[in-house]
Amino acid sequence: MPTPAPSEDALPTCDSCGAPAADTEPVHRVYVTPRDGDLSGEAGEGDDEAAGDHVEVVAEVESWCFPCRSQYPHQPLTA
């Protein structure tokens, strides 16, 4: 059976999860590495929660759907 041709009405695909979505928005992906490899998520006494964390904002612009924007670190293109 032949594969159907893509529809002109096809939804854009989220660059993060790959799902088709009508609500994609342009973002910069952000990688956050906890300080000293601490994956517990607990800050030490007197520590600022984000102190020492490594944050990397990727220059490439991606299109992300609402679920990915609500769950993963990113920087909106409008920011």
Side-chain angles (χ1 to χ4, degrees), residues 59-73:
E60 180 183 351
V61 176
E62 300 180 19
S63 293
W64 282 17
C65 64
F66 176 75
C68 289
R69 293 191 316 270
S70 65
Q71 295 181 40
Y72 301 110

Side-chain angles (χ1 to χ4, degrees), residues 44-67:
E45 275 188 45
D47 288 348
D48 180 349
E49 217 171 79
D53 289 352
H54 175 74
V55 177
E56 177 186 353
V57 179
V58 179
E60 180 183 351
V61 176
E62 300 180 19
S63 293
W64 282 17
C65 64
F66 176 75

